[in-house]
Amino acid sequence: MLEKSIPQSAILALTFTNKAAREMEERVREIAGRPLQALTVSTFHAFGLKILRSEIETLGWRKNFSVYDESDKLEAVKEALRECKMYGGSDVSDIKAVGQIFSKIKTGLLRWEDGVNPALKSVFDEYRHSLKVYNAVDFDDLLALPISLFEQFPGILQKYRDRYRYIMVDEFQDTSHIQYKLMKTLAGRNVCVVGDDDQSIYSWRGANYDNIRQFETDFPGLLEIKLEQNYRSTTTILEAANGVISHNTNRKEKRLWTGKRGGKAIEVRSPDNEGDEADFIAEKIKQIKFREHLRYDDFGILLRANSLMDRIEESLLAENIPYRVSGGTSFFARKEIKDILSYLRLVGNTADDVNLLRIINTPRRGIGKNTVAQISEIARSNRCPLWDAMGRTRYASDTLFQETAKTEIDQFMTLIETQREEILGRKPLSQKVKNLVDAIDYWSHLVSDNSKNEKAARWKFLNIQRLIQSIETWENNPDNFDPTLYPYLNRISLLTRDEGDGDQDAGKVNLMTIHASKGLEFPVVFIAGAEGGLIPHERSLEEDAGSVEEERRLFYVAITRAREKLFITSCRRRRRNQSLVECVPSPFLDEIPPGLVENGADAPEEDVTDAAEFFAKIKSRFR
């Protein structure tokens, strides 16, 4: 396209992960051999964020809005339930479930008339109002608000249509209803999408592989190109994958092939229990690493459920095998940690509106949404930070604030000013952070916020103690010549920015769910827990009898993560809910052509002399 003189600024390439977007951008620059500052290569959500950064004032937000992560969102849902007198003891007080309903409403997967509890409508309205008051959006808004913007303001839509005249979408089978709608709203005729319906495994989060068929309807006369060459796996692994996926009926016909002829047989093992399974995997990794001179990050261990990880982690630790777990919540993304860091950031910079809004009522201190809305309006009209706007009302007699609100604002500002004086003082930072946690009585906040689960409150407070201990370790490091607040905050910003980058995890075995493995590849892969009830997962089949095809696609994705060698384990018995149950192999194992499989019992015995010979050679060098 660039060679045909299409301006780079007219091209929009969309994908699903930041890593994929970076890789795509790097490859384009390498091919083009020149800088491409005007080219837009982005995730869907990052593109939505880019639009909102430019246009959100049209919808009534201020420019420097914040984006709520999942923990922030659940807190806002909880607050909305409280405001509507529906929090605690109610059949709608399962905050996560309510949050999921709100997400489906925003993204068009659910309508109020589809049997949703009508009492939640007022909570939803309160939740949306709260986001606007706090100048925040949630993750779903990054897609929903741009569409709303385009529908309400045709001139803005035309501006973006005129700019992005060529649209490309990667991993199209993973697009959701709302992502498809955003793409279709923007698109003219110059659209190119790439997808594989056999790898559609995210229906539980809204992905709809029928978008491929919908695309054929919405864009008649399209050109279809089949990309059937696989550059990753051996013939053995591909033939196994083809044999499995061919049992799905609702798919576009294709057959992958590879130039990597042959390949080792797939080894299926039947360990007695999950302990034997974990030990086999750890031992096999050490053997193969030693014999074939591989790195630990050349190995992937794939599981259908997070619950299978614990025993495998134990065996990896016992064998001193470094590993990383994909998924889960990062330490610095936990709500309690973010709260304390927000206090520190506000102490360091009172003009930080985002962190001020995060903790202005955490713990709860009577500065409600109406007060925050008034402060925001003063800040907007005076073009000043929220902190300065609060200062204007602190002692003024001609404000609209009630005396109780003015008192609360004064006490909050006094708290921050006192902490600022102390934290920027001479004492060790860790001790000052401990004093801050005590000063805001965060423990009582956790207890009241987790009134039905004191264990959860204790766990969260323990995380804060871990944070304080980590600060103490950092400030006592002899190489740390400036153990004060600002260097610490800079360090945390770098840590959280780099999370998920993967560079720091080089040289570690990859332990992950099959869902998390999509898009990755490893020379050696272990698929653990290939048993009925796990693959396919019984819960998925209970929720939707038709989901067996998606479960089969998931197994297909797991098989095709392997480049050279694939091991599959299926336990004879496994502990579930404190009891030992008999297991049967996954029915998908029977769908692998038999000539490609080598049973563990038939596998050649390991040559125990290898290690002795290796050390004998080393010893001979020193004679």
Side-chain angles (χ1 to χ4, degrees):
M1 290 163 71
L2 294 172
E3 286 173 354
K4 291 182 181 292
S5 301
I6 291 172
Q8 54 180 281
S9 60
I11 301 171
L12 169 63
L14 296 169
T15 187
F16 280 83
T17 66
N18 291 320
K19 181 181 177 184
R22 284 196 302 269
E23 184 176 335
M24 195 186 297
E25 205 164 5
E26 287 164 7
R27 288 192 190 188
V28 173
R29 284 204 182 98
E30 190 177 321
I31 293 168
R34 58 190 171 99
L36 300 168
Q37 289 94 340
L39 180 69
T40 304
V41 180
S42 169
T43 65
F44 273 94
H45 288 90
F47 178 63
L49 179 61
K50 179 178 180 178
I51 294 171
L52 295 181
R53 291 285 183 215
S54 298
E55 314 289 349
I56 200 165
E57 287 176 299
T58 311
L59 295 172
W61 276 258
R62 299 192 307 282
K63 260 194 179 299
N64 61 336
F65 63 91
S66 54
V67 181
Y68 278 5
D69 64 13
E70 189 64 17
S71 63
D72 294 331
K73 172 186 170 177
L74 294 181
E75 282 302 305
V77 171
K78 186 192 297 183
E79 187 64 27
L81 285 164
R82 277 201 187 101
E83 288 286 334
C84 296
K85 307 290 190 291
M86 295 172 67
Y87 178 63
S90 163
D91 61 347
V92 295
S93 61
D94 183 339
I95 297 162
K96 268 193 174 178
V98 173
Q100 287 169 355
I101 289 171
F102 289 179
S103 180
K104 288 180 178 179
I105 293 288
K106 282 191 176 188
T107 56
L109 293 176
L110 194 63
R111 300 172 302 169
W112 290 109
E113 55 266 33
D114 292 338
V116 181
N117 186 337
L120 283 177
K121 182 69 168 64
S122 61
V123 182
F124 181 67
D125 292 340
E126 178 63 32
Y127 169 69
R128 290 198 300 174
H129 174 64
S130 172
L131 286 177
K132 206 160 190 178
V133 166
Y134 285 100
N135 199 39
V137 299
D138 63 22
F139 208 56
D140 298 314
D141 287 329
L142 297 181
L143 301 176
L145 288 181
I147 290 174
S148 179
L149 187 76
F150 292 156
E151 289 174 345
Q152 292 180 53
F153 303 96
I156 293 177
L157 170 59
Q158 195 58 50
K159 179 175 79 172
Y160 284 93
R161 278 183 170 173
D162 290 343
R163 162 136 192 216
Y164 296 112
R165 302 193 305 277
Y166 299 85
I167 298 178
M168 313 172 79
V169 183
D170 186 29
E171 301 285 5
F172 191 63
Q173 77 283 346
D174 291 337
T175 51
S176 63
H177 167 78
I178 194 169
Q179 287 164 334
Y180 184 87
K181 186 175 181 181
L182 178 62
M183 181 275 295
K184 185 172 180 289
T185 302
L186 270 179
R189 291 295 301 169
N190 299 314
V191 187
C192 172
V193 302
V194 181
D196 180 2
D197 55 345
D198 288 337
Q199 295 191 55
S200 180
I201 59 174
Y202 294 120
S203 66
W204 51 277
R205 69 181 189 197
N208 183 3
Y209 75 97
D210 276 336
N211 283 347
I212 295 175
R213 290 186 174 83
Q214 186 62 44
F215 184 84
E216 293 172 338
T217 302
D218 290 339
F219 297 90
L222 57 79
L223 171 66
E224 181 181 85
I225 302 169
K226 291 189 178 183
L227 306 173
E228 296 178 300
Q229 184 173 3
N230 176 294
Y231 297 90
R232 174 190 297 133
S233 306
T234 63
T235 303
T236 298
I237 290 166
L238 272 194
E239 287 301 316
N242 285 332
V244 170
I245 203 63
S246 65
H247 288 75
N248 273 3
T249 56
N250 190 20
R251 63 187 289 263
K252 294 177 78 69
E253 189 58 40
K254 67 190 83 70
R255 190 166 188 85
L256 300 186
W257 62 276
T258 179
K260 297 173 69 174
R261 309 305 301 170
K264 297 176 182 175
I266 295 167
E267 188 172 324
V268 176
R269 291 267 179 160
S270 301
D272 191 56
N273 53 50
E274 67 267 31
D276 290 348
E277 175 184 59
D279 292 343
F280 161 73
I281 291 172
E283 290 164 8
K284 183 63 72 172
I285 287 172
K286 293 202 88 167
Q287 287 173 2
I288 296 174
K289 180 182 182 297
F290 167 72
R291 291 183 175 196
E292 301 183 20
H293 309 291
L294 297 178
R295 291 157 46 103
Y296 278 123
D297 55 4
D298 288 328
F299 296 86
I301 306 172
L302 312 185
L303 312 164
R304 177 61 181 87
N306 278 305
S307 58
L308 304 182
M309 286 188 180
D310 291 355
R311 189 60 188 82
I312 293 176
E313 286 191 68
E314 288 177 23
S315 290
L316 294 175
L317 287 168
E319 293 289 339
N320 293 315
I321 296 173
Y323 67 94
R324 72 182 186 105
V325 177
S326 293
T329 304
S330 140
F331 179 73
F332 290 104
R334 298 181 190 276
K335 181 190 179 300
E336 59 274 15
I337 302 302
K338 288 171 67 177
D339 284 347
I340 302 307
L341 292 177
S342 286
Y343 271 98
L344 294 177
R345 288 184 170 120
L346 185 61
V347 163
N349 174 19
T350 54
D352 187 337
D353 285 356
V354 171
N355 283 294
L356 185 149
L357 286 172
R358 179 180 180 84
I359 49 89
I360 193 170
N361 207 29
T362 303
R364 294 167 66 80
R365 54 171 60 89
I367 303 179
K369 283 196 287 294
N370 290 336
T371 303
V372 172
Q374 288 175 292
I375 295 168
S376 299
E377 184 53 40
I378 293 169
R380 188 203 303 266
S381 59
N382 289 278
R383 297 182 177 277
C384 67
L386 292 172
W387 179 266
D388 293 349
M390 292 167 68
R392 287 169 183 259
T393 66
R394 195 176 188 182
Y395 303 114
S397 58
D398 59 344
T399 66
L400 299 174
F401 291 97
Q402 296 179 353
E403 285 302 315
T404 51
K406 287 175 66 174
T407 301
E408 292 288 354
I409 289 171
D410 178 53
Q411 289 177 353
F412 174 68
M413 295 186 76
T414 300
L415 168 72
I416 298 301
E417 288 163 348
T418 303
Q419 289 300 319
R420 181 176 174 84
E421 188 175 335
E422 179 177 345
I423 289 174
L424 297 180
R426 291 181 172 275
K427 289 182 185 175
L429 181 60
S430 56
Q431 182 59 48
K432 291 181 289 193
V433 175
K434 183 179 184 303
N435 293 343
L436 165 67
V437 173
D438 293 339
I440 62 177
D441 196 10
Y442 199 81
W443 165 246
S444 295
H445 165 68
L446 288 176
V447 170
S448 68
D449 224 35
N450 298 272
S451 56
K452 295 183 179 180
N453 189 354
E454 188 176 333
K455 186 177 179 182
R458 292 187 181 282
W459 172 253
K460 292 177 180 182
F461 199 71
L462 182 62
N463 284 334
I464 292 174
Q465 291 174 330
R466 284 176 57 202
L467 174 70
I468 294 169
Q469 288 167 0
S470 72
I471 295 173
E472 185 177 1
T473 301
W474 170 77
E475 64 190 354
N476 290 333
N477 186 329
D479 294 328
N480 184 358
F481 300 109
D482 188 9
T484 56
L485 177 65
Y486 294 108
Y488 177 73
L489 292 178
N490 290 338
R491 174 175 176 268
I492 294 303
S493 295
L494 289 172
L495 277 174
T496 51
R497 185 193 69 182
D498 290 339
E499 272 171 5
D501 206 345
D503 291 346
Q504 70 272 33
D505 290 315
K508 297 181 181 180
V509 169
N510 301 275
L511 176 60
M512 59 183 62
T513 63
I514 301 172
H515 283 101
S517 74
K518 188 160 178 300
L520 303 177
E521 58 183 73
F522 310 100
V524 183
V525 165
F526 295 83
I527 303 175
E531 300 141 25
L534 286 173
I535 305 177
H537 202 287
E538 58 191 358
R539 189 175 65 245
S540 295
L541 299 182
E542 286 168 7
E543 292 172 358
D544 178 11
S547 69
V548 66
E549 292 216 346
E550 177 152 338
E551 290 290 308
R552 186 178 281 111
R553 291 196 292 269
L554 194 60
F555 191 55
Y556 169 84
V557 165
I559 291 172
T560 52
R561 297 314 91 195
R563 281 163 41 189
E564 305 290 342
K565 182 65 178 165
L566 176 62
F567 295 88
I568 304 176
T569 56
S570 174
C571 291
R572 293 190 175 92
R573 37 189 90 74
R574 185 179 294 276
R575 190 163 295 279
R576 291 191 193 176
N577 300 324
Q578 307 306 314
S579 59
L580 199 63
V581 298
E582 297 293 323
C583 301
V584 295
S586 166
F588 297 153
L589 291 176
D590 290 335
E591 297 173 357
I592 299 175
L596 307 174
V597 174
E598 178 180 81
N599 290 318
D602 302 327
E605 289 294 317
E606 303 293 346
D607 188 350
V608 294
T609 63
D610 277 4
E613 289 176 0
F614 175 78
F615 286 111
K617 288 178 183 176
I618 292 178
K619 189 176 177 182
S620 67
R621 294 180 184 177
F622 295 96
R623 285 175 181 165

